Amino acid sequence: ASDVYKRQTFGSNGLVITEIQENAQARTVLVQPDGLILSGGYSENKLVKQFALARYGTTGFLDPTFGSNGIVLTTINSVDCN
């Protein structure tokens, strides 16, 4: 197990949970040189799989200047339901 430093001023007690869709997971995190935080992962439901990015400010709020209110979704696989 690894120790994780939590900045108490980030989100709620150092943690942020962002609901993107019904099944989404963050898989990687990058702190940009300007201090903004980029999280990448995926989102999926029965019909669509999407690459998901979310960008946060230094206090844990989604960056409204990034994508659509801080979130970018790119479809990587879709299933025709007909």
Side-chain angles (χ1 to χ4, degrees):
S2 65
D3 293 325
V4 176
Y5 170 76
K6 292 192 305 185
R7 182 185 295 174
Q8 298 303 311
T9 59
F10 182 82
S12 176
N13 294 319
L15 300 173
V16 171
I17 297 174
T18 302
E19 298 281 336
I20 293 181
Q21 289 186 358
E22 58 189 67
N23 184 19
Q25 290 187 13
R27 305 298 278 177
T28 190
V29 175
L30 169 79
V31 179
Q32 298 178 179
D34 61 2
L36 297 176
I37 300 160
L38 190 63
S39 177
Y42 69 90
S43 173
E44 65 181 330
N45 62 34
K46 294 178 183 178
L47 302 176
V48 177
K49 292 182 182 179
Q50 296 177 308
F51 178 68
L53 288 173
R55 188 165 73 178
Y56 302 90
T58 58
T59 58
F61 291 99
L62 286 168
D63 176 2
T65 68
F66 182 77
S68 178
N69 296 317
I71 297 172
V72 173
L73 297 172
T74 302
T75 300
I76 55 176
N77 186 24
S78 61
V79 177
D80 186 356
C81 61
N82 291 329

XYZ file of all heavy atoms in Angstrom:
618
model
N 0.846 -1.182 0.000
C 0.000 0.000 0.000
C 0.883 1.234 0.000
O 1.962 1.230 0.560
C -0.909 0.011 1.208
N 0.375 2.282 -0.615
C 1.144 3.522 -0.656
C 0.435 4.601 0.147
O -0.774 4.589 0.293
C 1.338 3.969 -2.103
O 0.095 4.290 -2.667
N 1.224 5.508 0.678
C 0.660 6.645 1.401
C 0.283 7.717 0.394
O 1.010 7.979 -0.545
C 1.672 7.206 2.396
C 1.948 6.221 3.525
O 1.015 5.509 3.923
O 3.097 6.170 3.987
N -0.857 8.323 0.590
C -1.335 9.367 -0.304
C -1.492 10.647 0.504
O -2.136 10.648 1.551
C -2.683 8.977 -0.950
C -3.210 10.109 -1.808
C -2.522 7.704 -1.751
N -0.895 11.714 0.001
C -1.030 13.018 0.639
C -2.318 13.647 0.155
O -2.538 13.770 -1.041
C 0.161 13.896 0.290
C -0.010 15.331 0.715
C 0.135 15.694 2.049
C -0.334 16.310 -0.201
C -0.026 16.999 2.448
C -0.498 17.633 0.186
C -0.343 17.965 1.516
O -0.515 19.259 1.899
N -3.189 14.028 1.080
C -4.443 14.678 0.720
C -4.381 16.140 1.148
O -4.166 16.432 2.314
C -5.634 14.006 1.394
C -5.914 12.629 0.901
C -7.250 12.104 1.364
C -7.443 12.139 2.842
N -8.697 11.532 3.282
N -4.574 17.034 0.184
C -4.650 18.458 0.494
C -6.061 18.738 0.989
O -7.032 18.571 0.269
C -4.337 19.287 -0.740
C -4.353 20.778 -0.445
C -4.162 21.594 -1.675
N -2.847 21.366 -2.227
C -2.458 21.875 -3.386
N -3.272 22.622 -4.095
N -1.262 21.645 -3.839
N -6.192 19.168 2.220
C -7.496 19.370 2.830
C -8.315 20.457 2.146
O -9.534 20.488 2.262
C -7.342 19.676 4.319
C -6.703 18.532 5.100
C -7.459 17.220 4.979
O -8.660 17.176 5.154
N -6.759 16.155 4.664
N -7.658 21.376 1.412
C -8.384 22.447 0.715
C -8.910 21.986 -0.640
O -9.571 22.737 -1.331
C -7.485 23.673 0.517
O -6.330 23.291 -0.247
C -7.050 24.250 1.847
N -8.615 20.742 -1.024
C -9.067 20.198 -2.312
C -10.356 19.428 -2.089
O -10.404 18.480 -1.299
C -7.992 19.281 -2.889
C -8.339 18.714 -4.234
C -8.141 19.455 -5.378
C -8.861 17.440 -4.356
C -8.456 18.940 -6.633
C -9.173 16.914 -5.592
C -8.974 17.669 -6.726
N -11.419 19.830 -2.789
C -12.701 19.129 -2.671
C -13.213 19.105 -1.245
O -13.189 20.098 -0.539
N -13.649 17.927 -0.799
C -14.143 17.736 0.562
C -13.148 16.851 1.311
O -13.035 15.657 1.009
C -15.526 17.086 0.520
O -15.981 16.813 1.818
N -12.399 17.441 2.214
C -11.359 16.714 2.957
C -10.342 16.038 2.045
O -9.892 14.931 2.305
C -11.985 15.687 3.901
C -12.786 16.327 4.994
O -12.365 17.349 5.547
N -13.941 15.780 5.300
N -10.022 16.689 0.926
C -8.998 16.184 0.025
C -9.487 15.233 -1.050
O -8.693 14.704 -1.817
N -10.785 15.003 -1.134
C -11.336 14.061 -2.112
C -12.413 14.721 -2.973
O -13.160 15.572 -2.493
C -11.956 12.851 -1.415
C -11.024 12.016 -0.555
C -11.822 10.961 0.196
C -9.941 11.369 -1.392
N -12.502 14.275 -4.225
C -13.546 14.737 -5.139
C -14.152 13.517 -5.820
O -13.436 12.629 -6.282
C -12.982 15.686 -6.219
C -14.019 15.987 -7.278
C -12.495 16.973 -5.592
N -15.470 13.464 -5.870
C -16.173 12.429 -6.627
C -16.996 13.138 -7.686
O -17.800 14.014 -7.366
C -17.080 11.576 -5.720
C -16.221 10.828 -4.697
C -17.921 10.615 -6.563
C -17.027 10.068 -3.670
N -16.782 12.763 -8.943
C -17.487 13.388 -10.058
C -18.336 12.336 -10.761
O -17.798 11.350 -11.272
C -16.490 14.007 -11.065
O -15.691 14.964 -10.371
C -17.213 14.681 -12.217
N -19.627 12.527 -10.762
C -20.539 11.623 -11.467
C -20.515 11.995 -12.947
O -20.874 13.119 -13.302
C -21.957 11.761 -10.920
C -22.095 11.400 -9.458
C -22.140 9.906 -9.213
O -22.507 9.157 -10.135
O -21.801 9.506 -8.096
N -20.088 11.088 -13.800
C -20.060 11.372 -15.232
C -21.202 10.639 -15.926
O -22.029 11.238 -16.566
C -18.692 11.016 -15.844
C -17.635 11.973 -15.287
C -18.754 11.085 -17.364
C -16.255 11.757 -15.806
N -21.245 9.334 -15.799
C -22.349 8.525 -16.297
C -22.509 7.335 -15.364
O -21.852 7.268 -14.334
C -22.101 8.086 -17.743
C -22.207 9.226 -18.726
C -22.097 8.767 -20.164
O -21.908 7.601 -20.459
N -22.204 9.702 -21.081
N -23.339 6.364 -15.743
C -23.650 5.288 -14.813
C -22.459 4.408 -14.454
O -22.395 3.869 -13.374
C -24.799 4.434 -15.352
C -24.524 3.822 -16.718
C -25.753 3.170 -17.308
O -26.701 3.887 -17.625
O -25.746 1.937 -17.438
N -21.486 4.238 -15.326
C -20.314 3.412 -15.026
C -19.082 4.132 -15.547
O -18.759 4.052 -16.720
C -20.447 2.032 -15.669
C -19.299 1.119 -15.287
O -18.599 1.341 -14.303
N -19.079 0.092 -16.077
N -18.399 4.829 -14.667
C -17.205 5.575 -15.063
C -16.110 5.344 -14.038
O -16.385 5.172 -12.851
C -17.525 7.065 -15.180
N -14.874 5.313 -14.522
C -13.729 5.141 -13.639
C -12.596 6.043 -14.087
O -12.298 6.115 -15.278
C -13.229 3.702 -13.660
C -14.137 2.719 -13.021
C -13.484 1.350 -12.937
O -12.295 1.176 -13.133
N -14.294 0.347 -12.637
N -11.965 6.688 -13.126
C -10.729 7.420 -13.403
C -9.588 6.413 -13.339
O -9.554 5.563 -12.448
C -10.524 8.521 -12.372
N -8.681 6.493 -14.300
C -7.573 5.549 -14.343
C -6.213 6.214 -14.180
O -5.233 5.546 -13.888
C -7.602 4.766 -15.657
C -8.927 4.049 -15.923
C -9.252 3.036 -14.897
N -8.537 1.824 -15.204
C -8.557 0.746 -14.471
N -9.248 0.725 -13.366
N -7.869 -0.316 -14.805
N -6.150 7.528 -14.395
C -4.877 8.236 -14.263
C -5.129 9.697 -13.905
O -6.202 10.224 -14.182
C -4.062 8.125 -15.572
O -2.743 8.602 -15.351
C -4.714 8.872 -16.701
N -4.147 10.300 -13.279
C -4.244 11.705 -12.873
C -2.925 12.390 -13.204
O -1.849 11.821 -13.004
C -4.526 11.834 -11.358
C -4.509 13.285 -10.920
C -5.853 11.194 -11.006
N -3.020 13.624 -13.696
C -1.843 14.414 -14.042
C -2.024 15.821 -13.488
O -3.073 16.433 -13.689
C -1.681 14.487 -15.565
C -0.653 15.480 -16.083
C 0.739 14.887 -15.932
C -0.922 15.817 -17.530
N -1.025 16.311 -12.795
C -1.040 17.702 -12.351
C -0.270 18.498 -13.393
O 0.915 18.247 -13.618
C -0.414 17.872 -10.953
C -0.418 19.345 -10.545
C -1.163 17.032 -9.931
N -0.961 19.427 -14.036
C -0.357 20.249 -15.078
C 0.579 21.278 -14.452
O 0.444 21.604 -13.270
C -1.458 20.958 -15.885
C -2.377 20.010 -16.603
C -3.491 20.713 -17.349
O -4.278 20.068 -17.969
N -3.593 22.034 -17.294
N 1.518 21.829 -15.232
C 2.437 22.836 -14.692
C 1.734 24.043 -14.068
O 2.252 24.653 -13.140
C 3.265 23.263 -15.911
C 3.223 22.082 -16.816
C 1.856 21.474 -16.611
N 0.530 24.378 -14.549
C -0.211 25.516 -13.996
C -1.015 25.154 -12.749
O -1.749 25.971 -12.208
C -1.124 26.130 -15.054
C -2.163 25.164 -15.590
O -2.227 24.005 -15.135
O -2.919 25.564 -16.498
N -0.900 23.902 -12.279
C -1.588 23.470 -11.066
C -2.939 22.831 -11.296
O -3.504 22.238 -10.384
N -3.487 22.954 -12.515
C -4.768 22.302 -12.815
C -4.558 20.793 -12.863
O -3.480 20.302 -13.201
C -5.341 22.824 -14.127
C -5.694 24.311 -14.144
C -6.170 24.734 -15.523
C -6.736 24.641 -13.094
N -5.592 20.052 -12.527
C -5.488 18.603 -12.400
C -6.354 17.947 -13.462
O -7.554 18.212 -13.561
C -5.926 18.169 -10.990
C -5.001 18.838 -9.963
C -5.920 16.656 -10.854
C -5.575 18.901 -8.589
N -5.745 17.068 -14.255
C -6.432 16.366 -15.329
C -6.569 14.901 -14.934
O -5.590 14.258 -14.541
C -5.634 16.496 -16.624
C -6.285 16.035 -17.905
C -7.519 16.868 -18.218
C -5.299 16.130 -19.045
N -7.787 14.392 -15.015
C -8.056 12.994 -14.698
C -8.605 12.310 -15.943
O -9.513 12.825 -16.587
C -9.072 12.913 -13.552
O -9.396 11.570 -13.286
N -8.064 11.160 -16.285
C -8.508 10.425 -17.466
C -8.985 9.035 -17.109
O -8.493 8.413 -16.172
N -9.957 8.568 -17.878
C -10.488 7.234 -17.649
C -11.512 6.899 -18.703
O -11.376 7.283 -19.854
N -12.557 6.200 -18.288
C -13.587 5.807 -19.238
C -14.967 5.869 -18.608
O -15.119 5.914 -17.391
C -13.328 4.408 -19.791
C -13.520 3.309 -18.766
C -14.764 2.706 -18.593
C -12.470 2.881 -17.979
C -14.945 1.707 -17.653
C -12.637 1.880 -17.032
C -13.878 1.298 -16.880
O -14.064 0.313 -15.944
N -15.953 5.872 -19.472
C -17.350 5.848 -19.084
C -18.055 4.904 -20.033
O -17.749 4.878 -21.226
C -17.930 7.265 -19.194
O -19.318 7.240 -18.977
N -18.965 4.107 -19.533
C -19.669 3.193 -20.431
C -21.068 2.890 -19.920
O -21.364 2.975 -18.744
C -18.889 1.899 -20.626
C -18.740 1.051 -19.397
C -17.934 -0.199 -19.657
O -17.956 -0.720 -20.786
O -17.276 -0.680 -18.719
N -21.929 2.569 -20.872
C -23.236 2.009 -20.558
C -23.446 0.859 -21.541
O -22.510 0.438 -22.202
C -24.346 3.067 -20.603
C -24.508 3.697 -21.971
O -24.328 3.051 -23.000
N -24.841 4.974 -22.000
N -24.644 0.352 -21.682
C -24.883 -0.817 -22.535
C -24.644 -0.533 -24.011
O -24.406 -1.444 -24.791
C -26.299 -1.340 -22.324
C -26.507 -1.901 -20.945
C -27.932 -2.361 -20.740
C -28.117 -2.851 -19.316
N -29.478 -3.251 -19.048
N -24.691 0.729 -24.437
C -24.595 1.061 -25.853
C -23.319 1.785 -26.254
O -22.913 1.725 -27.404
C -25.799 1.913 -26.276
C -27.171 1.282 -26.052
C -28.265 2.271 -26.411
C -27.307 0.011 -26.860
N -22.687 2.491 -25.343
C -21.576 3.366 -25.707
C -20.439 3.263 -24.693
O -20.671 3.264 -23.488
C -22.044 4.843 -25.787
C -20.895 5.767 -26.100
C -23.146 5.003 -26.816
N -19.206 3.182 -25.222
C -18.009 3.303 -24.397
C -17.339 4.608 -24.777
O -17.214 4.927 -25.956
C -17.061 2.138 -24.631
C -17.600 0.823 -24.126
C -16.614 -0.293 -24.336
C -17.215 -1.596 -23.858
N -16.313 -2.732 -24.057
N -16.902 5.359 -23.760
C -16.311 6.657 -24.024
C -15.034 6.852 -23.219
O -14.940 6.419 -22.068
C -17.284 7.780 -23.657
C -18.536 7.776 -24.498
C -19.507 8.845 -24.059
O -19.843 8.928 -22.884
N -19.948 9.664 -24.994
N -14.066 7.514 -23.850
C -12.886 8.001 -23.159
C -13.328 9.251 -22.411
O -14.025 10.094 -22.973
C -11.798 8.318 -24.193
C -10.554 8.880 -23.603
C -9.737 8.103 -22.805
C -10.186 10.189 -23.855
C -8.579 8.627 -22.251
C -9.032 10.718 -23.319
C -8.227 9.934 -22.517
N -12.966 9.378 -21.150
C -13.434 10.503 -20.336
C -12.256 11.276 -19.754
O -11.302 10.679 -19.240
C -14.320 9.992 -19.202
N -12.326 12.588 -19.858
C -11.355 13.482 -19.229
C -12.120 14.473 -18.361
O -13.176 14.961 -18.760
C -10.568 14.277 -20.267
C -9.532 13.542 -21.096
C -8.986 14.471 -22.173
C -8.408 13.042 -20.210
N -11.582 14.777 -17.209
C -12.134 15.824 -16.359
C -10.965 16.679 -15.879
O -9.889 16.157 -15.578
C -12.874 15.228 -15.168
N -11.169 17.990 -15.857
C -10.110 18.874 -15.365
C -10.634 19.687 -14.192
O -11.737 20.225 -14.235
C -9.592 19.798 -16.460
C -8.356 20.563 -15.994
C -7.605 21.191 -17.114
N -8.332 22.340 -17.638
C -7.864 23.100 -18.616
N -6.705 22.833 -19.180
N -8.569 24.123 -19.036
N -9.819 19.733 -13.144
C -10.180 20.389 -11.903
C -9.233 21.552 -11.613
O -8.047 21.488 -11.941
C -10.090 19.399 -10.727
C -10.959 18.194 -10.914
C -10.471 17.057 -11.552
C -12.268 18.194 -10.469
C -11.278 15.947 -11.736
C -13.078 17.083 -10.648
C -12.578 15.956 -11.280
O -13.368 14.873 -11.469
N -9.771 22.552 -10.947
C -8.940 23.621 -10.428
C -8.226 23.141 -9.174
O -8.441 22.020 -8.698
N -7.392 23.971 -8.599
C -6.592 23.578 -7.440
C -7.419 23.319 -6.184
O -6.931 22.709 -5.243
C -5.526 24.649 -7.144
O -6.184 25.899 -6.925
C -4.543 24.768 -8.290
N -8.694 23.753 -6.178
C -9.548 23.493 -5.018
C -10.513 22.331 -5.239
O -11.345 22.036 -4.386
C -10.360 24.748 -4.645
O -11.148 25.138 -5.760
C -9.451 25.885 -4.217
N -10.413 21.659 -6.406
C -11.224 20.467 -6.648
C -12.506 20.683 -7.412
O -13.253 19.737 -7.649
N -12.769 21.918 -7.835
C -13.966 22.168 -8.631
C -13.659 21.954 -10.107
O -12.555 22.259 -10.572
C -14.490 23.593 -8.402
C -15.042 23.781 -7.030
C -14.279 24.380 -6.034
C -16.324 23.344 -6.707
C -14.780 24.536 -4.756
C -16.826 23.496 -5.432
C -16.055 24.095 -4.452
N -14.624 21.418 -10.854
C -14.432 21.236 -12.288
C -14.122 22.568 -12.950
O -14.713 23.590 -12.614
C -15.679 20.611 -12.929
C -15.882 19.128 -12.640
C -17.269 18.700 -13.070
C -14.820 18.286 -13.322
N -13.183 22.552 -13.904
C -12.768 23.752 -14.626
C -13.775 24.043 -15.735
O -13.825 23.324 -16.732
C -11.376 23.527 -15.209
C -10.878 24.671 -16.053
O -11.584 25.695 -16.188
O -9.765 24.540 -16.593
N -14.589 25.093 -15.614
C -15.633 25.371 -16.609
C -15.088 25.781 -17.979
O -15.825 25.781 -18.948
C -16.444 26.504 -15.978
C -15.496 27.170 -15.052
C -14.579 26.082 -14.541
N -13.787 26.075 -18.068
C -13.201 26.460 -19.363
C -12.730 25.249 -20.157
O -12.253 25.381 -21.274
C -12.015 27.429 -19.172
O -10.926 26.730 -18.534
C -12.417 28.640 -18.350
N -12.855 24.065 -19.583
C -12.393 22.829 -20.228
C -13.588 22.014 -20.682
O -14.455 21.647 -19.875
C -11.552 22.018 -19.236
C -10.985 20.747 -19.791
C -9.880 20.773 -20.630
C -11.549 19.529 -19.473
C -9.345 19.599 -21.137
C -11.025 18.347 -19.979
C -9.917 18.386 -20.814
N -13.662 21.713 -21.986
C -14.748 20.889 -22.513
C -16.117 21.453 -22.188
O -16.367 22.645 -22.320
N -17.000 20.577 -21.739
C -18.349 20.974 -21.346
C -18.417 20.984 -19.820
O -18.528 19.921 -19.187
C -19.371 20.000 -21.928
O -20.665 20.334 -21.521
N -18.245 22.162 -19.244
C -18.257 22.321 -17.784
C -17.214 21.456 -17.082
O -17.467 20.906 -16.017
C -19.647 22.045 -17.221
C -20.657 23.031 -17.708
O -20.378 24.231 -17.745
N -21.826 22.565 -18.097
N -16.041 21.305 -17.709
C -14.943 20.592 -17.083
C -14.779 19.150 -17.499
O -13.857 18.473 -17.046
N -15.650 18.648 -18.365
C -15.613 17.239 -18.773
C -15.598 17.123 -20.292
O -16.323 17.836 -20.989
C -16.828 16.476 -18.207
C -16.781 16.470 -16.678
C -16.902 15.052 -18.750
C -18.007 15.916 -16.009
N -14.768 16.198 -20.806
C -14.739 15.873 -22.232
C -14.982 14.370 -22.367
O -14.309 13.568 -21.721
C -13.387 16.229 -22.876
C -13.319 15.726 -24.310
C -13.148 17.733 -22.824
N -15.969 13.993 -23.175
C -16.262 12.587 -23.472
C -16.079 12.347 -24.958
O -16.610 13.098 -25.778
C -17.691 12.239 -23.060
C -18.022 12.351 -21.584
C -19.514 12.157 -21.357
C -17.227 11.350 -20.785
N -15.331 11.300 -25.309
C -15.106 10.941 -26.709
C -15.532 9.496 -26.902
O -14.987 8.603 -26.244
C -13.635 11.107 -27.095
O -13.243 12.455 -26.847
C -13.407 10.765 -28.554
N -16.490 9.249 -27.783
C -16.972 7.882 -28.025
C -15.885 7.066 -28.711
O -15.325 7.489 -29.722
C -18.252 7.908 -28.870
O -19.248 8.647 -28.154
C -18.766 6.502 -29.159
N -15.588 5.895 -28.157
C -14.598 5.006 -28.752
C -15.235 3.731 -29.275
O -14.628 3.017 -30.052
C -13.463 4.685 -27.763
C -14.007 4.118 -26.458
C -12.609 5.905 -27.520
C -12.964 3.694 -25.457
N -16.471 3.450 -28.871
C -17.171 2.262 -29.347
C -18.653 2.472 -29.094
O -19.060 2.914 -28.036
C -16.696 1.025 -28.609
C -17.292 -0.240 -29.160
O -17.703 -0.297 -30.312
N -17.351 -1.273 -28.355
N -19.453 2.184 -30.098
C -20.904 2.243 -29.893
C -21.538 1.029 -30.518
O -21.002 0.420 -31.446
C -21.494 3.520 -30.487
O -21.273 3.577 -31.865
N -22.689 0.654 -30.006
C -23.419 -0.529 -30.475
C -24.767 -0.073 -30.993
O -25.485 0.657 -30.312
C -23.599 -1.534 -29.321
C -24.421 -2.731 -29.787
C -22.254 -1.974 -28.777
N -25.112 -0.495 -32.199
C -26.429 -0.168 -32.747
C -27.455 -1.046 -32.044
O -27.375 -2.262 -32.061
C -26.438 -0.435 -34.252
C -27.719 0.004 -34.917
O -28.644 0.457 -34.211
O -27.803 -0.087 -36.145
N -28.406 -0.426 -31.384
C -29.390 -1.202 -30.602
C -30.526 -1.762 -31.462
O -31.383 -2.455 -30.953
C -29.934 -0.351 -29.466
S -30.784 1.132 -29.992
N -30.552 -1.493 -32.773
C -31.618 -2.046 -33.620
C -31.294 -3.420 -34.123
O -30.335 -3.808 -34.550
C -31.884 -1.119 -34.808
C -32.520 0.174 -34.334
O -33.242 0.175 -33.348
N -32.239 1.259 -35.022
